[in-house]
Amino acid sequence: QGTDLLLSGSLDGTVRQWDAVSGADRGEFLAGGWAGASDWIGALAAVEVGGGTSVVTAGESGVRVVREGQRPQTLPGHTGWVGSLVEADLGDSPAVVAAGYDGVPRVWNVATAGQHSCYGGPGEASAHAAPVHALALVDGSADGVGPNVVSAGGDREIHVWDPATGAGIRRLDRHDPSGSVRALAAHGSLLFSAGDDGLITVHDVARGSAEPVVTVPARTGRVNALVVVAVGGELRLVSAGEDGAL
């Protein structure tokens, strides 16, 4: 309709549309059987598929693909809730990476609703020993492949892996792994991670080293979210956490 829209999901299980300029509520993103769903939604992504837009949601009931005029389709494989979701680059195939309670990140082809790969490989034990809380894409040019997936969570570990094959590349060290990693953000080959300890750790993945470049104090208490933004032509890292400040 020529209007830029934002989509949001929430604890009531609905997906709503918002005018990105005016902030006006444009109503629910309706698909048969979706309205009134009670399962919470923790993350979502709008993916272009075949000239249309599909909305992929992650939440209490796992991962679902919502296409206009159709009932939501649940993608099988995840056990328990799924709280993290990012778009992935698989060439011509629109894809997302999803992870959560079972600690196994999975790459999904949105067009076919089929699993493309999973970190650890079919039938293998989970690469993470606890729920995954955060995902990000980072430039992995030093490894000869192109954007890598980074996953992190309750096992206090940060893993870099190839979404095309599910093969692990390396694990990154944090200076003081005293709590869960809750948030990831990336710009180029730079990866920012934060969590329960209130600290932000910076890695340059293209260096090929597991050691961080620097670790800085961010706030008092847990960091829940990170994002890289452009302000006045400069890049800034914004964090949010349990202390209520940005």
Side-chain angles (χ1 to χ4, degrees):
Q1 298 177 347
T3 302
D4 290 330
L5 297 176
L6 295 174
L7 297 175
S8 64
S10 69
L11 293 176
D12 63 7
T14 61
V15 176
R16 300 197 69 84
Q17 304 174 106
W18 307 87
D19 189 305
V21 177
S22 68
D25 185 350
R26 298 298 186 185
E28 293 180 342
F29 185 91
L30 293 177
W34 180 259
S38 59
D39 296 345
W40 56 262
I41 296 172
L44 57 80
V47 182
E48 295 297 320
V49 180
T53 300
S54 294
V55 176
V56 184
T57 67
E60 186 175 3
S61 294
V63 179
R64 290 174 172 173
V65 179
V66 186
R67 299 181 175 91
E68 289 190 271
Q70 301 180 25
R71 294 183 64 86
Q73 180 179 8
T74 300
L75 305 183
H78 294 280
T79 301
W81 55 262
V82 179
S84 298
L85 188 72
V86 295
E87 291 189 60
D89 183 3
L90 294 178
D92 296 333
S93 301
V96 295
V97 186
Y101 177 78
D102 62 8
V104 182
R106 301 176 186 275
V107 182
W108 298 97
N109 184 318
V110 180
T112 64
Q115 181 175 297
H116 178 84
S117 65
C118 68
Y119 178 40
E124 294 185 17
S126 170
H128 286 278
V132 172
H133 297 309
L135 295 168
L137 294 182
V138 66
D139 185 355
S141 56
D143 302 288
V145 294
N148 294 322
V149 177
V150 183
S151 54
D155 59 3
R156 308 173 183 177
E157 294 186 346
I158 303 172
H159 296 208
V160 183
W161 51 281
D162 181 0
T165 64
I169 296 174
R170 73 174 58 87
R171 300 186 183 189
L172 304 180
D173 296 331
R174 279 176 62 81
H175 79 291
D176 180 17
S178 59
S180 297
V181 181
R182 303 283 179 178
L184 296 171
H187 178 74
S189 64
L190 294 180
L191 177 73
F192 308 91
S193 63
D196 291 347
D197 57 12
L199 301 170
I200 295 177
T201 299
V202 183
H203 289 86
D204 187 347
V205 177
R207 292 173 57 196
S209 172
E211 294 296 320
V213 175
V214 66
T215 297
V216 296
R219 60 203 318 115
T220 301
R222 184 174 67 198
V223 178
N224 293 324
L226 295 171
V227 64
V228 178
V229 298
V231 179
E234 296 183 349
L235 293 176
R236 304 289 177 86
L237 181 67
V238 182
S239 65
E242 65 180 0
D243 60 6
L246 289 177

